[in-house]
Amino acid sequence: MLTRSLGKQGPRVSALGLGCMGMSDFYGPHDDAQSISTIRLALDQGVSLLDTADMYGPFTNELLVGRAIEGRRGEVFLATKFGIMRDPADPAKRGVNGRPEYVRACCDASLKRLGVSYIDLYYQHRVDPAVPIEETVGAMAELVQAGKVRFLGLSEASAQTLERAARVHRISALQSEFSLWSRDVEADGVLAACRRLGITLVAYSPLGRGFLTGVIKRPEDLAEDDFRRHNPRFQGGNFSLNLQLVERVRALATAKRCTPAQLALAWVLAQGDDIVAIPGTRHPARLTENLAALEVDLSAADLQELERAFPLGAAAGTRYPPAGMAAVNR
Ligand SMILES: NC(=O)c1ccc[n+]([C@@H]2O[C@H](COP(=O)([O-])OP(=O)(O)OC[C@H]3O[C@@H](n4cnc5c(N)ncnc54)[C@H](OP(=O)(O)O)[C@@H]3O)[C@@H](O)[C@H]2O)c1
């Protein structure tokens, strides 16, 4: 398994991790037994980086991951997140919280649900505009000192927030959406700040929440309660325009003798060896397909062709509905 450093001189993690969110939430029906098999297969194949969060479920995804890794803690680089509050009775309601006492309570609760004595990488899921980042990261740093957490990360944080956070404690990872159709971090200075500060970009939704695989052909392919039905890129005219872009990627994938999913992942990994990707799947066969992206070698000419087929900013629609966009710290 190809590994990459998490932060400068940081620990090595698998260049492709496994995103576990969709195993419990957001993307329609799920099957815990199959998801557990998928996680264990990932470990068998050398994937170390597993990604979850307390708000996935809410809470049930951490329980699931905890069950899957029982007896295999040493093989896992376990990442989880705090900071988005959800009420299990009404999961659509959201809040962000970066207060120190909340950080401490969340960490203890995550450790318990995951059934582990430490978290390898602990992220603030969304920056709380009401709490100075120094206070939140200060509380996270205390968790490192207490041995409950090994490394710190932020998610969807701005360049300026990263600079301020890094003055309090070393930040090893910044998790943001990054894929052929979500390249905001290149334009808004976040990727440049990561590079200045020696922070690894952990690319979430590297398959465009499944869209870039070409498997989703119509909005109706998604379950009624699937979160993506509310995502502007999966709606009406945007859906059709985006599908045309994916069809161009499919043509290039065919020429490269790989699948569109593999090409999308290979593109992310080719953007720098300070980037790792955490594609999500609930299916063992798709996990195997995605891991084979590590064997797809993209030449400079291939990358140029991909750039022409799917130019920067070409995707129609924003990557979240308005409330989600507002929660991104820019
Ligand atoms: N920090 C944040 O705010 C944030 C936000 C979103 C996600 N994340 C993290 O990032 C991880 C990955 O992102 P994501 O799950 O949103 O999106 P993704 O990895 O871009 O795509 C996942 C979707 O693609 C499908 N898929 C995966 N491999 C496939 C293949 N080879 N062929 C066809 N379909 C395939 C999956 O369906 P099946 O499961 O049915 O295979 C799932 O619906 C999440 O699990 C989560 O841990 C973080």
Side-chain angles (χ1 to χ4, degrees), residues 19-21 27 51 56 81 125-126 155 175 204-210 213 215 228 261 278-283 286 289-290 320:
C20 300
M21 179 184 84
Y27 297 160
D51 192 81
Y56 300 158
K81 319 180 194 78
H125 209 155
R126 287 292 182 276
S155 174
Q175 186 170 133
Y204 81 67
S205 303
L207 296 168
R209 299 182 184 270
T213 69
V215 166
R228 292 170 289 193
I278 49 166
T281 181
R282 302 164 291 190
H283 297 102
R286 285 180 173 175
E289 175 188 338
N290 296 346
Y320 279 107

Side-chain angles (χ1 to χ4, degrees), residues 266-303:
W267 179 88
V268 171
L269 295 177
Q271 302 312 302
D273 59 12
D274 52 356
I275 298 176
V276 303
I278 49 166
T281 181
R282 302 164 291 190
H283 297 102
R286 285 180 173 175
L287 171 79
T288 303
E289 175 188 338
N290 296 346
L291 291 180
L294 293 166
E295 272 110 62
V296 177
D297 223 356
L298 296 181
S299 65
D302 293 332
L303 289 168

